[in-house]
Amino acid sequence: MAEPEILIDPTKPSARNLSYLKAGAPIIIDISTPAGQKRKFNTYFIGYLPKKYVLIEYPDSSKLGAFSQYIGQGTVITVRGLIEGRDGAAVAFISTIRQTLQIPSRIMVLDIPNTVTLQQLRSSVRIDTQIVAKVKIDDVYWQTTMTNLSVNGGQLDIINGEKLVLAEDKVIEVLVETSEGEDNIKLDATVCNFKKQVDGVSFGVKFNQVNKQQVIELLYQALV
């Protein structure tokens, strides 16, 4: 059976787009405190009942810290995930926690969102990430963190890189090592902008003739 095409009409976002998220799919949730602090946590999508509720797994308690007190009835959260399509797609929605359950496992029950946006990854949508990588600049490797990523490019931060000399249009190589140590992902990129930070540098890159599937694989790794 042919894989269904994901058709998107941005003027008509629909909760029916939840059907593209499969049980067990990795997701990221954003939680904000009343004081305006924000944190992101990895967890998993369990499922939903149309017009009633959404179920997601409670995040790892050891990583919640003080934010655990804000996961309760009435808290508004943003949910983001990746789904499979011809080129992959990103899904996102805002909902409110209805209640939390302890049995059969720790589960968050959310209200059905009014809208669920869906955008194919072949567009310029950017996903927040924390991907540890190496970047090769003038034959020297620097440790870096990719803080966001799209199929076209991303944002990289280098700590203690104050002495690094970068300029727009400079060609570099980004290397992401897999957990197995094989099939490492190498991406040729061009520097688009460069900004010095207090503890290092931050710069955007545009990928050069990159295989989109490689970037989509990175996006999935970021959520797992």
Side-chain angles (χ1 to χ4, degrees), residues 34-110:
Q37 294 176 303
K38 295 182 179 180
R39 284 282 301 277
K40 302 177 187 294
F41 300 98
N42 294 339
T43 186
Y44 295 91
F45 182 79
I46 297 175
Y48 75 104
L49 191 61
K51 299 182 180 180
K52 292 196 174 181
Y53 52 77
V54 176
L55 300 178
I56 66 175
E57 187 175 301
Y58 198 92
D60 186 346
S61 298
S62 64
K63 297 181 180 179
L64 285 173
F67 272 76
S68 60
Q69 64 184 301
Y70 302 110
I71 299 183
Q73 185 177 13
T75 298
V76 176
I77 68 172
T78 300
V79 179
R80 295 185 176 88
L82 296 175
I83 60 178
E84 294 183 359
R86 290 187 181 275
D87 290 322
V91 62
F93 62 88
I94 298 174
S95 184
T96 302
I97 298 176
R98 181 182 296 184
Q99 67 180 109
T100 58
L101 305 176
Q102 303 295 324
I103 299 175
S105 62
R106 301 199 73 182
I107 295 173
M108 299 168 61
V109 183
L110 311 179

Side-chain angles (χ1 to χ4, degrees), residues 122-158:
R122 57 172 169 256
S123 69
S124 59
V125 61
R126 286 183 179 266
I127 304 296
D128 290 335
T129 63
Q130 285 295 315
I131 300 174
V132 176
K134 294 179 181 179
V135 58
K136 185 179 180 181
I137 304 172
D138 295 331
D139 295 324
V140 177
Y141 283 97
W142 296 77
Q143 196 74 22
T144 185
T145 300
M146 303 180 71
T147 57
N148 66 50
L149 185 65
S150 76
V151 292
N152 298 319
Q155 189 75 20
L156 281 68
D157 289 350
I158 297 179

Side-chain angles (χ1 to χ4, degrees), residues 16-28:
R16 286 177 295 182
N17 287 333
L18 280 172
S19 64
Y20 289 111
L21 271 178
K22 304 304 181 184
I27 56 175
I28 290 178

